[in-house]
Amino acid sequence: MRKDALRRSLSRLHAWLLPWRCLLCGAAGAEGLDLCAACAAELPRNASCCARCALPLPTPAVLCGRCQRHAPPWAAAWAPFRYAWPLDRLERRYKFGGDLASGRTLAALWREAPRPIDLPQLILPVPLHARRLRERGYNQALELARPLAQAFGVPAQADALRRVRITAAQTELDALARRRNVRGAFALREGLALPAHVALLDDVLTTGATLAECARVLRRAGVARVDVWALARAPVPGGGR
Ligand SMILES: [Zn+2]
Ligand SMILES: [Zn+2]
């Protein structure tokens, strides 16, 4: 394909002008990636996990204890990495340090991960409140969604969901407080026609409170199937398996 040939040429030109450098150890990067082969091999892959919420499990394709007791309001989760060293370092640099090179690297890793069988018809990144977006300058979920949408040929829509009120940072809250914190925080744009199968996308899935609240909004609007996609699965605070 001509597009692939063009990408390879651009990649070679980039490597000559600006050699790929590993963001973690400074060694030469593997082609097309700001990570060396050794650091890339250390990334924690989430190969064996709960089919419903992507919590790491010793046996794949079964449900974790939490999902057996109380299933989340979405159909399936896709989180190809675990939120652990050294991926967490890149994610923190991207999310809190404004390091877009880390973001591009994370997006490239996600794009190359084994894909879900059932692709959605639309990808909706979890929105930031307008004020947070102004402070940060970018929505970390949207920037990860764009390359995936392009690779899968599935549209990503940034303005379908809106965050209608500012919420406290979820990282400082326990599971119950997180649910309360995001209740009623999201709304759909008026008059929007949504397809039957939508994937919500966020950078990290922790308790899933934010994604669950967004999923409820979509289900109420008549979306038949909502999946959740996250780059990385974090452990639930306080265990809870
Ligand atoms: Zn390295
Ligand atoms: Zn589960």
Side-chain angles (χ1 to χ4, degrees), residues 49-57 62-68 70-72 74 233:
C49 61
C50 172
R52 195 75 185 260
C53 77
L55 200 66
L57 287 179
V62 293
L63 296 186
C64 72
R66 281 176 83 227
C67 288
Q68 281 174 30
H70 183 76
W74 62 69
R233 182 56 156 114

Side-chain angles (χ1 to χ4, degrees), residues 22-28 35-40:
C22 180
L23 292 164
L24 290 166
C25 75
L35 271 187
C36 71
C39 286

Side-chain angles (χ1 to χ4, degrees), residues 158-174:
D159 61 350
L161 270 173
R162 280 184 309 123
R163 210 180 264 253
V164 289
R165 66 179 169 78
I166 283 263
T167 50
Q170 294 281 77
T171 36
E172 282 136 42
L173 304 171
D174 67 16

Side-chain angles (χ1 to χ4, degrees), residues 177-209:
R178 283 179 187 224
R179 281 191 67 165
R180 286 202 201 105
N181 185 37
V182 291
R183 195 167 288 160
F186 298 93
L188 271 173
R189 214 179 65 198
E190 303 262 326
L192 197 68
L194 289 166
H197 184 187
V198 173
L200 284 163
L201 184 148
D202 210 351
D203 49 347
V204 180
L205 166 56
T206 307
T207 65

Side-chain angles (χ1 to χ4, degrees), residues 5-225:
L6 177 66
R7 199 163 55 203
R8 273 198 301 276
S9 313
L10 285 174
S11 176
R12 274 196 293 271
L13 180 65
H14 180 287
W16 181 67
L17 290 169
L18 270 172
W20 305 100
R21 278 270 155 247
C22 180
L23 292 164
L24 290 166
C25 75
E31 195 193 340
L33 203 60
D34 278 322
L35 271 187
C36 71
C39 286
E42 277 194 76
L43 293 171
R45 303 215 168 239
N46 194 16
S48 173
C49 61
C50 172
R52 195 75 185 260
C53 77
L55 200 66
L57 287 179
T59 330
V62 293
L63 296 186
C64 72
R66 281 176 83 227
C67 288
Q68 281 174 30
R69 287 191 301 277
H70 183 76
W74 62 69
W78 178 40
F81 294 94
R82 284 180 288 112
Y83 190 67
W85 195 90
L87 185 124
D88 56 353
R89 205 169 128 193
L90 292 176
E91 164 65 16
R92 276 197 298 271
R93 272 157 56 170
Y94 169 48
K95 190 168 179 173
F96 303 112
D99 181 4
L100 296 175
S102 290
R104 276 194 301 276
T105 302
L106 293 171
L109 291 166
W110 196 352
R111 205 177 48 216
E112 301 307 320
R115 300 176 178 188
I117 298 159
D118 294 328
L119 287 179
Q121 295 153 289
L122 180 67
I123 301 171
L124 296 183
V126 170
L128 286 181
H129 190 272
R131 199 202 302 170
R132 281 260 153 75
L133 185 59
R134 272 198 304 276
E135 286 164 6
R136 187 171 292 166
Y138 56 96
N139 174 352
Q140 75 279 1
L142 173 61
E143 300 310 317
L144 290 172
R146 279 191 178 125
L148 276 189
Q150 201 178 28
F152 295 175
V154 174
Q157 197 173 345
D159 61 350
L161 270 173
R162 280 184 309 123
R163 210 180 264 253
V164 289
R165 66 179 169 78
I166 283 263
T167 50
Q170 294 281 77
T171 36
E172 282 136 42
L173 304 171
D174 67 16
L176 190 65
R178 283 179 187 224
R179 281 191 67 165
R180 286 202 201 105
N181 185 37
V182 291
R183 195 167 288 160
F186 298 93
L188 271 173
R189 214 179 65 198
E190 303 262 326
L192 197 68
L194 289 166
H197 184 187
V198 173
L200 284 163
L201 184 148
D202 210 351
D203 49 347
V204 180
L205 166 56
T206 307
T207 65
T210 302
L211 287 161
E213 186 63 20
C214 292
R216 285 187 204 100
V217 170
L218 294 178
R219 295 298 308 267
R220 278 200 292 272
V223 176
R225 174 171 173 175

